[in-house]
Amino acid sequence: MILHDAQKRLRQARPSDLEIEDVGLLAALGRVAACDIKSLIAIPPADNSAMDGFAVNAAEMREGSEYSISQRIAAGQAPTPLEEGTVARIFTGANMPDGADAVVIQEHCDYTENTVKINRSAEPGSNVRPLGQDIQIGAVVINKGQRLNSVDLSLLASIGVAEVPVYERLKVAIFSTGDELVEPGEPLQEGQIYNSNRALLTGLCRELGYEVIDCGIVKDTLEETKSALSNAAKCAHLILSSGGVSVGEEDYIKPAIEELGSLDMWRVQMKPGKPVAYGSIEGTRFLGLPGNPVSSFVVFQLLGVPLMQTLQKQNQSQPLTYMVEAGFDKKVTSREEYIRVKLVRRADGELVADRFKNLSSGILSSLSWADGLVRHEIGEKIERGMKVAYLPMTRSML
Ligand code: AMP
Ligand code: MG
């Protein structure tokens, strides 16, 4: 199966049965809204001044004339209607008095405490933020399925929302298979390696707002693999495993899933990461990632994320891709390939993607070096200087 079809299939998975809970505004960061949220108030709630200056009736103003100041309105104060033939001293964020329709900024005036000479007149509406300019009553400010970020929370705060209905966090059970694995902190015996996928997958899931159930290391036997899977199926919405997913003598994921539940997808034409299994056990979804940490990472990003977003009832994020120049050549590929690259800026300002020299998926340091992946489509050749699709590995704004 090609990657695109596999992604489509995972996006069509049946979402998990998730409870809805009300959480305090600040606790809603990274959670997924369980309904549309509409504003019960207008923002701004009244016409107010965008500048420090003088609130006037624009039609009455004559350039060069002097007016008396009949009231002083600071932000937070309630004005009285503007007396005819006068102006009001006003400050940024203060409500406009009835009868005034413009603000002349203080830089365009000569003024004392009681009088002001207007040196430049104003059009009706100038320097005024009208009622409802930002948000109208009844406007939907957050959509169901939206994952809430800091800006979303500030928008909710601006309309006075203190509690947000969100879906419970998707519970993801994670285990690593392999007789060779030990956890950091343990001494390393001959033939052993440290488990790096546990830290990788746990971290990625947490960054995405999911709850991780740590199921440790599972030995390479059919019995242990089955028992890990059926225990995890009882407490999670999704099981993520790493390793043991090929057809070697020490790979037990496929037979275990086939015995306990159903295997719906196996092997995807992608590189790194061809061995991958998707299925379910008693209603709990299962995604088996390859053991190599680089492959695990790539499959997690390209297949795990769309699946988890679907299960979490979350709107699908659009993967960001940028067209940049390739700084390397690569032969035609028969599997959609994701190449670890780093962007460098050439002297002429152009961004060029440099490839990590060793393409082996066993090289974890290549991921740490890279800042993104370049997509290499089936049947295409990459030549230095041509534009290629670059996917950043982080969404950080810095
Ligand atoms: P497997 O998919 O189980 O055949 O594993 C492929 C390669 O990835 C082997 O070299 C494993 O030792 C390595 N590997 C598997 N799981 C992990 C893990 N959790 N952490 C680090 N390397 C792993
Ligand atoms: Mg293994």
Side-chain angles (χ1 to χ4, degrees):
M1 181 180 293
I2 61 164
L3 180 60
H4 180 261
D5 291 343
Q7 287 173 321
K8 204 164 138 195
R9 179 94 151 258
L10 297 178
R11 288 200 182 101
Q12 286 163 354
R14 194 174 63 78
S16 304
D17 294 324
L18 302 172
E19 306 274 322
I20 294 174
E21 52 189 350
D22 285 329
V23 297
L25 181 67
L26 299 188
L29 184 67
R31 303 295 296 270
V32 176
C35 62
D36 285 350
I37 301 176
K38 289 183 184 168
S39 182
L40 300 178
I41 58 171
I43 303 294
D47 292 354
N48 70 91
S49 178
M51 299 293 278
D52 290 347
F54 295 88
V56 303
N57 177 333
E60 280 181 4
M61 287 302 105
R62 299 285 165 267
E63 246 172 49
S65 298
E66 202 164 282
Y67 298 89
S68 65
I69 300 170
S70 53
Q71 61 179 312
R72 184 179 186 281
I73 317 159
Q77 292 176 346
T80 56
L82 187 65
E83 279 173 38
E84 225 180 293
T86 73
V87 303
R89 181 73 169 120
I90 198 163
F91 299 92
T92 306
N95 280 2
M96 293 289 285
D98 279 350
D101 60 0
V103 171
V104 180
I105 61 172
Q106 61 196 24
E107 289 79 357
H108 294 166
C109 304
D110 294 317
Y111 54 97
T112 62
E113 207 178 321
N114 301 316
T115 60
V116 54
K117 184 168 147 258
I118 305 281
N119 297 325
R120 224 184 280 176
S121 60
E123 297 292 311
S126 45
N127 302 311
V128 176
R129 306 163 175 158
L131 179 154
Q133 179 187 44
D134 183 359
I135 299 166
Q136 309 240 316
I137 293 178
V140 173
V141 299
I142 296 292
N143 291 298
K144 181 178 174 175
Q146 193 171 334
R147 182 163 183 239
L148 302 170
N149 61 29
S150 319
V151 174
D152 300 326
L153 296 192
S154 95
L155 194 62
L156 287 169
S158 80
I159 61 166
V161 170
E163 291 216 316
V164 192
V166 295
Y167 292 117
E168 70 170 303
R169 289 180 198 274
L170 191 76
K171 292 192 188 73
V172 185
I174 295 179
F175 65 82
S176 322
T177 72
D179 287 347
E180 72 278 34
L181 301 178
V182 286
E183 291 300 346
E186 299 294 316
L188 210 55
Q189 309 294 339
E190 194 181 339
Q192 295 185 324
I193 58 168
Y194 286 118
N195 181 4
S196 39
N197 286 341
R198 175 183 180 224
L200 176 77
L201 300 175
T202 300
L204 289 170
C205 283
R206 288 196 179 143
E207 279 171 358
L208 293 168
Y210 307 125
E211 187 181 318
V212 170
I213 302 168
D214 185 2
C215 302
I217 294 172
V218 173
K219 291 281 175 206
D220 288 323
T221 67
L222 183 59
E223 280 321 302
E224 283 227 17
T225 310
K226 274 168 55 182
S227 108
L229 284 168
S230 49
N231 288 337
K234 291 190 191 95
C235 59
H237 301 108
L238 171 69
I239 306 167
L240 272 186
S241 71
S242 77
V245 76
S246 309
V247 280
E249 280 175 27
E250 297 293 326
D251 295 321
Y252 293 102
I253 287 290
K254 185 169 181 273
I257 291 286
E258 283 169 335
E259 275 191 40
L260 293 173
S262 67
L263 183 71
D264 304 326
M265 198 168 87
W266 190 61
R267 286 197 157 168
V268 175
Q269 292 306 314
M270 62 187 291
K271 192 177 173 185
K274 185 169 167 190
V276 41
Y278 169 64
S280 63
I281 301 165
E282 291 153 26
T284 296
R285 242 47 69 86
F286 166 79
L287 186 66
L289 306 171
N292 271 314
V294 174
S295 309
S296 236
F297 175 83
V298 173
V299 176
F300 180 95
Q301 296 293 352
L302 297 172
L303 295 175
V305 171
L307 174 63
M308 287 188 281
Q309 290 183 338
T310 305
L311 299 182
Q312 176 73 82
K313 302 188 178 188
Q314 182 181 348
N315 300 341
Q316 297 281 331
S317 54
Q318 289 299 318
L320 281 179
T321 52
Y322 301 98
M323 297 312 282
V324 301
E325 230 179 70
F328 56 92
D329 299 308
K330 202 162 167 303
K331 291 200 284 257
V332 173
T333 177
S334 57
R335 285 194 267 161
E336 188 164 321
E337 211 169 318
Y338 286 83
I339 304 155
R340 283 144 274 161
V341 297
K342 199 208 270 295
L343 290 185
V344 287
R345 200 174 286 282
R346 227 175 29 206
D348 64 2
E350 192 71 33
L351 280 177
V352 179
D354 263 357
R355 185 182 84 168
F356 195 78
K357 275 168 227 63
N358 187 335
L359 286 185
S360 159
S361 54
I363 309 287
L364 184 52
S365 49
S366 66
L367 264 190
S368 165
W369 170 88
D371 54 24
L373 301 169
V374 157
R375 180 164 52 226
H376 186 189
E377 309 250 7
I378 296 173
E380 274 186 3
K381 191 158 103 180
I382 296 182
E383 280 171 358
R384 187 182 293 264
M386 75 185 253
K387 293 279 186 192
V388 285
Y390 166 87
L391 292 84
M393 284 190 335
T394 146
R395 298 278 172 94
S396 163
M397 292 183 71
L398 298 176

